[in-house]
Structure formats: C-alpha cells, structure tokens
Amino acid sequence: MPLSDHEQRLLEQMERALYAEDPKFASALEGTGLRTRTRRAVYVSAAGFVVGVGLLMGGLFLHQQWVSVGGFVLMLAGAVFGITAWRRIPRLALVDSRTGAPVVRRRKRGGGLVDRMEQRWQHRQEQQRGGF
C-alpha cells in the first residue's frame, strides 16, 4: 500500500533529521539493503567459483583426486549460489523507491513464443476446417 503525501513528507523529514543528527549512522543504515546483500552474495559466489576452479586444476596437477572433487563441489556450489542471487536482483529493482510499492511490468501482447505458437496452431485449425 503506497504512502499518502502527508506520510511521505513525514518520512522525508525524519530522514533529514536523522542525517542531520548522526550522518555516520544514517550512511551505515543505507548500505544494508537487499540489493547490497545480493550484490555481495554474487561477489562471494564468483570468488568461490574461481577458488573451486583453482582447486580443481591444482588437484589435477598434483594427482590428488580428493582436491579436484572438492574444487568441483566448491565451483558448483558457487555457481548455484551466484545464479540464485543474480535472479533475485530484478525482483528487487521492481519496487518504487519513493512509495515502496511494487511496480508491475506488463508483458507485450502476442510477443512471446508460446503466444505465437498458439496463434499458428489456431490458424492451422481454421484452415483445415475451411478446407473440408
């Protein structure tokens, strides 16, 4: 539910008062958003993936299968963790920063693959009915 104009003004006044009173604390609160945590998770997973590749290669050169298997598992875990964190980013961007209300994106009509296939199917069915 979006905030009213009065509530929005009160919130902005409270934010300004917080910045005026303790700017260090206010800036610390800004960086704890979901987007920051998600970005950090993507960076950590990328680092895990790179370390996993290094362990995989190191295990191959040293002829230690357990090191290679551990590197592969770390690489796989980093990739899965990174992909899931990356997929969360667009959903976070769909929130209006002023009101906090979700922004609804509308799909283009008839632009999807499934819609086009359905239209072709219906067209073929109509052609077959008209031919008999």
Side-chain angles (χ1 to χ4, degrees), residues 6-120:
H6 178 68
E7 292 171 333
Q8 187 68 32
R9 279 182 294 206
L10 285 175
L11 182 62
E12 288 172 1
Q13 287 175 357
M14 289 189 304
E15 286 177 357
R16 278 181 276 183
L18 178 63
Y19 276 108
E21 187 177 315
D22 194 359
K24 187 175 180 181
F25 178 69
S27 64
L29 286 178
E30 270 184 351
T32 61
L34 290 174
R35 186 172 292 164
T36 303
R37 280 188 265 151
T38 304
R39 188 178 302 132
R40 189 177 304 136
V42 169
Y43 291 150
V44 167
S45 66
F49 184 84
V50 170
V51 170
V53 169
L55 285 174
L56 179 70
M57 294 298 169
L60 289 174
F61 289 132
L62 298 174
H63 300 289
Q64 299 289 325
Q65 286 92 14
W66 62 273
V67 175
S68 295
V69 170
F72 178 76
V73 169
L74 182 63
M75 186 176 65
L76 184 64
V80 168
F81 185 65
I83 289 170
T84 56
W86 185 264
R87 286 186 178 177
R88 276 186 250 144
I89 291 175
R91 283 186 279 162
L92 297 175
L94 294 177
V95 176
D96 188 0
S97 61
R98 292 182 299 135
T99 62
V103 177
V104 178
R105 287 188 181 171
R106 302 205 185 265
R107 289 180 22 179
K108 291 188 248 177
R109 295 182 184 241
L113 176 66
V114 175
D115 293 333
R116 289 191 310 254
M117 291 177 67
E118 188 174 322
Q119 288 174 357
R120 289 178 187 165

